Structure formats: C-alpha cells, structure tokens
C-alpha cells in the first residue's frame, strides 16, 4: 500500500495538468499518467448505493452504511495497490478533474487521501474553456464549452462549492492544499515544496526541476495529442505568465460583468 495518496483536482482549465506534471517531475513519485475515472465512479456509486440502501434495497445487499463503506474501501485499496506497485512508488499522485466536486464523498470512504486543489481566476478559466470549445468544433466534435457565461460559470462553481460550505472547513484544512495557478507560475519551486511540506512528503524540489521531464506520452507531441482539443499550447514548454489576465484581451465587457456576477463568491474569496 502506498504511504501517501494525493489527487490533483480542480475546475476544468484551472492549470491542473501543469501542476500535476510538475508534482510528478520528482523521481520519488510516479510519472504523470492520464486521468482515470474509476475512483470518481466509485465515489458516485457509493453515494448512490447509500441512497438505495435507505430507499429501495434496505439491507438486502449491505448490512449498514459501515458495511457499504468497507466494500468500496476494499475496491479502492485494490486499485491503489495495483497502481503504486506498477510504478514502484510509496507516494502515489493521480489527477482527476471529474472527482473534484465529490472529494468529500471519497473522504468518507477512503480518508487516507490528500488533495491538491488547483484554483485560477474564473475569468481566465472561461477564456480557456471557450478556446477548447472552439477546437472541438473544428474537429467536428461536440462543443462542451459554448460561449455561455452562465453555463461555464456553473462548471466552475460546481468545482469549488466546498469552499463555500462552513461544514467542510475542517476537511479542507486537514486534507486539501489550495494552489492558485497564478502563484505557481510566479513561484513554482516554492509552491511545490509547500505541497510536500503540507503532506509530509520526504521530497524537495530544486529550482532547476523539469516540469515535463517525466510526463507520459499523452502530454508529448504525437499524433493523438495533436488532435486533442484539451491540449494547451503551453504543454511541454517553459512556464510563462502570458495567460494570467488574458480575459482582458479576449472577453467582452458584458461577459466579464456576467462572470463577476455568476462567480462572485469565488472571485471575492480568492481574487479580491
């Protein structure tokens, strides 16, 4: 069993891939790997099963909530053991954007997981979302990020709803490290070492670390990734601050006003 399990989570287009690859650049961690949705689905299925226990199935399959938790905990343990052995690591770091809104549920089943939550100015997130949507259309794919400020802000707010809930403060303080994209761009080594300290990882990042040095091929130049609309133009390149505040150049004034309204709580909490 790995000594520590860390998940990188956050809103879509919040810089999670960049920060995940940076974390995994250390040789004591596994290399960066593609997202896997098994854990997300197990968390959702656990929640749904608990509802069915109460409303439909009673105790026909599981004797109690505790029994249900034990079953799902065992499933997760098998998965984490398998992956940590595959990469021969004591510190396992994975990434899942789809897990973000449900990390509190996962914590109920498997409390030995820690989380790095990536945060970015919602206005810049929207610009990146729109860019992905436009790429999807050019590839004859469904646009998952249409230029609808209300819809896009719902995606952002759904990712960070835990920070607006008083009853989640203890969980967030103990298990979650919030890292702002803007801070990481300006102080990458310092931010990575803060994460290591927060979760008591016996590792140190030096200022010359190579963010993309141990990334899997999914992040490198190849046929598949070229046609990946989610692939940022900054992947595999040195850090730069060109995308900080990019919304001022791309969005219309009324769009900025809408985002300021729809994401008011997040902006007031982290960007005022």
């Amino acid at each position: 069993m790995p000594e520590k399990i860390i998940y990188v989570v956050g809103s879509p287009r919040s810089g999670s891939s960049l920060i995940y690859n940076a974390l995994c650049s250390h040789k004591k961690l596994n290399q960066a790997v593609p997202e896997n949705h098994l854990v997300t689905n197990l968390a959702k299925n656990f929640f749904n099963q608990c509802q069915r226990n109460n409303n439909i199935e009673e105790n026909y399959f599981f004797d109690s909530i505790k029994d249900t938790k034990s079953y799902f905990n065992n499933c997760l343990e098998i998965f984490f053991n398998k992956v940590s052995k595959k990469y021969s690591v004591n510190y396992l770091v994975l990434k899942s954007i789809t897990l973000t809104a449900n990390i509190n549920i996962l914590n109920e089943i498997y409390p030995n997981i820690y989380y790095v939550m990536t945060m970015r100015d919602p206005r810049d997130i929207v610009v990146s979302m729109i860019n992905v949507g436009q790429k999807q259309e050019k590839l004859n794919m469904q646009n998952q990020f249409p230029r609808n400020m209300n819809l896009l802000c719902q995606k952002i707010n759904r990712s960070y709803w835990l920070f607006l809930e008083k009853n989640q403060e203890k969980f967030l303080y103990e298990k979650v490290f919030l890292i702002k994209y803007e801070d990481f761009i300006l102080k990458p080594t310092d931010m990575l070492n803060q994460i290591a300290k927060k979760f008591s990882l016996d590792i140190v990042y030096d200022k010359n670390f190579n963010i993309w040095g141990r990334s899997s091929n999914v992040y490198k130049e190849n046929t598949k990734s070229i046609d990946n609309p989610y692939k940022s133009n900054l992947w595999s390149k040195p850090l730069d601050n060109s995308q900080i505040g990019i919304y001022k150049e791309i969005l219309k004034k009324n769009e900025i006003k809408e985002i300021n309204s729809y994401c008011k709580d997040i902006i007031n909490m982290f960007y005022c």
Side-chain angles (χ1 to χ4, degrees):
M1 193 64 199
E3 184 180 335
K4 289 283 172 64
I5 302 170
I6 298 172
Y7 259 95
V8 176
V9 296
S11 165
R13 317 312 297 167
S14 62
S16 58
S17 291
L18 173 65
I19 291 166
Y20 175 59
N21 278 268
L23 273 172
C24 292
S25 68
H26 199 286
K27 63 183 180 180
K28 285 191 177 182
L29 307 179
N30 53 282
Q31 66 181 59
V33 295
E35 292 190 44
N36 177 283
H37 301 312
L38 184 146
V39 173
T40 301
N41 291 333
L42 283 173
K44 290 179 179 178
N45 287 336
F46 166 73
F47 179 82
N48 292 334
Q49 186 59 53
C50 289
Q51 299 300 308
R52 292 184 67 84
N53 287 351
N54 294 330
N55 302 324
I56 301 173
E57 298 172 3
E58 297 179 345
N59 294 327
Y60 287 111
F61 299 100
F62 295 96
D63 296 332
S64 62
I65 294 297
K66 182 179 180 180
D67 184 34
T68 309
K69 283 184 183 180
S70 177
Y71 174 81
F72 281 90
N73 180 285
N74 289 339
C75 293
L76 289 165
E77 191 158 299
I78 291 170
F79 175 71
F80 292 135
N81 272 331
K82 177 179 177 59
V83 180
S84 62
K85 286 179 181 178
K86 180 177 178 66
Y87 293 100
S88 302
V89 290
N90 289 323
Y91 302 146
L92 180 63
V93 184
L94 302 172
K95 172 180 175 280
S96 178
I97 292 303
T98 60
L99 177 62
T100 305
N102 296 313
I103 59 174
N104 61 318
I105 296 175
L106 182 58
N107 185 62
E108 289 294 316
I109 318 168
Y110 209 95
N112 297 327
I113 300 176
Y114 299 90
Y115 305 89
V116 174
M117 176 81 76
T118 59
M119 170 68 72
R120 187 181 182 187
D121 189 317
R123 294 156 291 201
D124 284 338
I125 289 179
V126 167
V127 170
S128 186
M129 286 178 169
I130 292 171
N131 185 43
V132 170
Q134 291 172 343
K135 289 180 181 179
Q136 288 173 330
E137 289 184 355
K138 289 179 180 178
L139 294 168
N140 295 318
M141 300 168 63
Q142 181 181 357
N143 184 344
Q144 295 181 314
F145 302 102
R147 196 161 184 146
N148 179 317
M149 299 304 111
N150 187 15
L151 178 64
L152 299 181
C153 287
Q154 284 180 33
K155 294 178 183 291
I156 296 170
N157 288 331
R158 193 178 303 121
S159 298
Y160 301 120
W161 73 273
L162 288 170
F163 289 93
L164 305 177
E165 299 293 326
K166 279 284 184 181
N167 62 357
Q168 298 296 330
E169 287 182 353
K170 184 174 186 292
F171 163 62
L172 293 171
Y173 176 77
E174 293 178 349
K175 299 292 182 67
V176 180
F177 184 94
L178 180 73
I179 180 169
K180 292 169 70 172
Y181 170 84
E182 297 83 0
D183 290 340
F184 178 77
I185 292 296
L186 297 175
K187 303 177 292 181
T189 306
D190 182 48
M191 298 309 299
L192 292 176
N193 284 323
Q194 284 188 40
I195 293 171
K197 182 178 179 180
K198 167 76 175 180
F199 300 134
S200 302
L201 305 180
D202 184 25
I203 59 177
V204 176
Y205 293 87
D206 64 55
K207 63 181 180 179
N208 297 317
F209 77 97
N210 179 358
I211 291 178
W212 309 100
R214 302 181 67 239
S215 302
S216 64
N217 287 336
V218 74
Y219 298 112
K220 294 182 179 179
E221 293 295 339
N222 56 45
T223 303
K224 289 183 179 179
S225 64
I226 289 172
D227 292 333
N228 178 2
Y230 287 92
K231 183 182 178 184
S232 168
N233 294 330
L234 301 178
W235 282 6
S236 76
K237 296 179 181 177
L239 295 179
D240 71 65
N241 62 3
S242 62
Q243 300 304 300
I244 297 178
I246 192 69
Y247 75 90
K248 298 173 186 176
E249 302 173 22
I250 305 298
L251 298 179
K252 300 173 184 177
K253 288 184 179 180
N254 66 298
E255 291 175 327
I256 296 173
K257 186 176 180 180
E258 285 184 68
I259 299 169
N260 288 343
S261 176
Y262 292 135
C263 291
K264 176 178 65 176
D265 292 335
I266 298 298
I267 291 173
N268 287 343
M269 186 173 291
F270 298 106
Y271 288 95
C272 285

